[in-house]
Amino acid sequence: MALKIALLPGDGVGPEVLAQAVKCLEAVEETFNQHFIFKEAPVGAIAIDKKGTPLPDATLKLCKESDAVLFGAIGDPKYDNDPDAKVRPEQGLLQLRKELGLFANIRPVLSHPTLLDKSPLKKKVINGTDFVIYRELTGGIYFGEKKLNDDGTKASDLCEYTEDEISRIAHLAFKAAKGRKKKLTLIDKANVLESSRLWRKVVTKIGESYPEVALDFMFVDNAAMQIILNPKQFDVILTENMFGDIISDEGSVIGGSIGLLASASIGEENALFEPIHGSYPQAKGKNIANPIASILSAAMLLEHFGLTEEAWAVKKAVDKSLKKGVVTPDLKENSQYGTNQVGDFIAHNIVDIEDDSLMNDENIDLGKSTII
């Protein structure tokens, strides 16, 4: 299989973590006789600096002509701290999602046995957590009409959804639940918002076609609390754009680091894979950013194209890095390993994931990933 993969490194630590994901895909090429064609293009703040727009036409063209997009990160403080900026890096990602029709964002959240003590939550609360969030991605308040009066004293953002927008992601979520623990929770604010009441109506009707899946509902404020108090109660979460943006970041505390969470954004014809973390500009160029979320995004890409054995090898190599403590400082204080070293270790261990003779534990302890 020859897959054309557009690489959009973006801003901050995006290029650094994306480079590690590419290393792992190259290891998959070598090990499984696959073939990936990589081509890079600018997006976000770096694209504004170079081209005057966060999503240049050439970048969009490349993405549309590729089988998938592998994304780094987006954002820059010089825009975050300027409320009057008319062009912002994040606009590029929002436009890209809209242009590619990426209506479903899929974010797995699970606890790692070796990292339970890294979460601020109690081990007994998070141990065994394994749920996935299906977030609608191209509708709602982020894409609704925005208004600001002439003197800048009154603003509004329209939250709007259609039945079709709700239906297409609801079917994906129900199908996912059928293959998991057969439970789906719709998170909304139906006691206040008319758009949420439409979500409940449409999802309830669709649920009749999936009788094996138990459907329940939860207000978003309660859900934010329940994810902290009892995350194991969830299997598949379905929600709208803004609510999903918020609760998926909240879910990162379960794993102990936002640097562990990958995501897939899926449309009818296109797919984009990215870590959920931001551009982390404070760490840019310091070789300390956690690349695991980006690497797991590459694993999700492989799964999307039916390369399940290849994806399994990537995930097992990640598991080995976590168990052996070959991780960045966000997961292990005073770690000697940087972004590049963690990426090298995981890529090397994709070659033969079951052969522990490939690993020299003494050298690992000295901060060297050594293949013997």
Side-chain angles (χ1 to χ4, degrees):
M1 179 181 290
L3 292 176
K4 296 180 181 178
I5 301 175
L7 302 177
L8 306 188
D11 307 317
V13 300
E16 298 170 57
V17 297
L18 185 63
Q20 312 315 311
V22 172
K23 284 180 188 176
C24 292
L25 288 175
E26 289 172 342
V28 167
E29 284 186 299
E30 178 184 347
T31 307
F32 294 93
N33 196 30
Q34 298 292 349
H35 181 48
F36 306 126
I37 301 169
F38 301 109
K39 191 169 182 181
E40 188 174 310
V43 70
I46 191 170
I48 297 174
D49 294 342
K50 290 181 176 180
K51 304 291 184 180
T53 174
L55 183 63
D57 291 342
T59 299
L60 179 58
K61 182 174 184 291
L62 172 65
C63 293
K64 288 184 174 181
E65 292 174 350
S66 300
D67 295 303
V69 179
L70 200 56
F71 198 93
I74 201 165
D76 190 290
K78 68 182 178 184
Y79 297 97
D80 297 340
N81 300 327
D82 182 4
D84 297 321
K86 300 300 182 185
V87 179
R88 297 180 181 275
E90 293 79 8
Q91 292 170 347
L93 181 56
L94 293 176
Q95 183 186 352
L96 183 61
R97 289 170 178 169
K98 199 75 172 179
E99 291 283 351
L100 298 182
L102 306 177
F103 63 85
N105 182 250
I106 304 165
R107 299 190 178 188
V109 177
L110 68 160
S111 61
H112 297 271
T114 57
L115 298 176
L116 294 178
D117 61 337
K118 299 302 177 185
S119 173
L121 305 179
K122 293 180 179 179
K123 293 181 182 180
K124 66 179 182 180
V125 173
I126 62 172
N127 190 24
T129 297
D130 181 1
F131 64 86
V132 60
I133 300 170
Y134 275 71
R135 166 192 170 194
E136 200 287 323
L137 205 56
T138 56
I141 199 167
Y142 289 178
F143 289 92
E145 182 183 6
K146 303 177 189 318
K147 294 182 179 179
L148 179 68
N149 68 355
D150 292 339
D151 60 3
T153 59
K154 184 179 180 180
S156 65
D157 298 277
L158 178 65
C159 181
E160 190 172 50
Y161 272 107
T162 67
E163 182 176 348
D164 287 344
E165 287 174 323
I166 299 167
S167 295
R168 59 188 182 181
I169 189 171
H171 279 291
L172 288 181
F174 273 108
K175 289 174 182 176
K178 278 180 64 177
R180 290 174 53 92
K181 293 175 284 188
K182 298 179 171 56
K183 180 183 178 182
L184 188 147
T185 302
L186 174 65
I187 292 178
D188 61 26
K189 193 64 176 170
N191 57 335
V192 176
L193 300 177
E194 195 63 44
S195 56
S196 284
R197 287 190 276 272
L198 179 62
W199 270 84
R200 284 210 182 191
K201 176 184 175 183
V202 173
V203 172
T204 299
K205 182 65 177 176
I206 291 173
E208 296 173 1
S209 301
Y210 300 88
E212 64 272 68
V213 177
L215 171 64
D216 66 355
F217 306 94
M218 193 174 289
F219 295 145
V220 65
D221 42 357
N222 183 35
M225 180 173 63
Q226 293 299 323
I227 285 174
I228 300 300
L229 292 177
N230 182 19
K232 287 180 283 192
Q233 69 182 285
F234 297 107
D235 179 24
V236 174
I237 289 175
L238 171 63
T239 191
E240 60 104 74
N241 202 343
M242 184 170 68
F243 297 160
D245 189 9
I246 296 167
I247 64 169
S248 57
D249 279 8
E250 183 189 17
S252 69
V253 304
I254 293 170
S257 171
I258 199 170
L260 296 173
L261 294 186
S263 75
S265 298
I266 306 299
E268 297 290 348
E269 298 179 357
N270 301 289
L272 180 149
F273 304 86
E274 61 179 320
I276 79 161
H277 61 68
S279 60
Y280 193 13
Q282 304 92 328
K284 180 180 178 181
K286 296 181 180 179
N287 194 36
I288 61 172
N290 189 339
I292 289 179
S294 187
I295 292 169
L296 290 176
S297 296
M300 293 185 77
L301 183 155
L302 295 170
E303 287 178 322
H304 179 72
F305 290 101
L307 301 176
T308 53
E309 185 180 359
E310 291 84 343
W312 178 86
V314 174
K315 289 188 282 188
K316 291 298 289 184
V318 167
D319 287 343
K320 185 173 284 189
S321 77
L322 294 174
K323 290 176 182 176
K324 291 288 183 179
V326 184
V327 294
T328 44
D330 59 310
L331 295 179
K332 184 179 179 182
E333 193 175 357
N334 300 320
S335 172
Q336 302 177 65
Y337 303 101
T339 309
N340 292 324
Q341 289 77 20
V342 173
D344 287 342
F345 180 86
I346 294 171
H348 288 172
N349 280 279
I350 290 170
V351 175
D352 193 341
I353 193 66
E354 294 301 330
D355 188 358
D356 279 332
S357 68
L358 289 174
M359 201 151 41
N360 185 322
D361 287 345
E362 181 180 353
N363 282 341
I364 287 172
D365 291 338
L366 293 173
K368 306 171 185 175
S369 173
T370 302
I371 306 302
I372 298 174

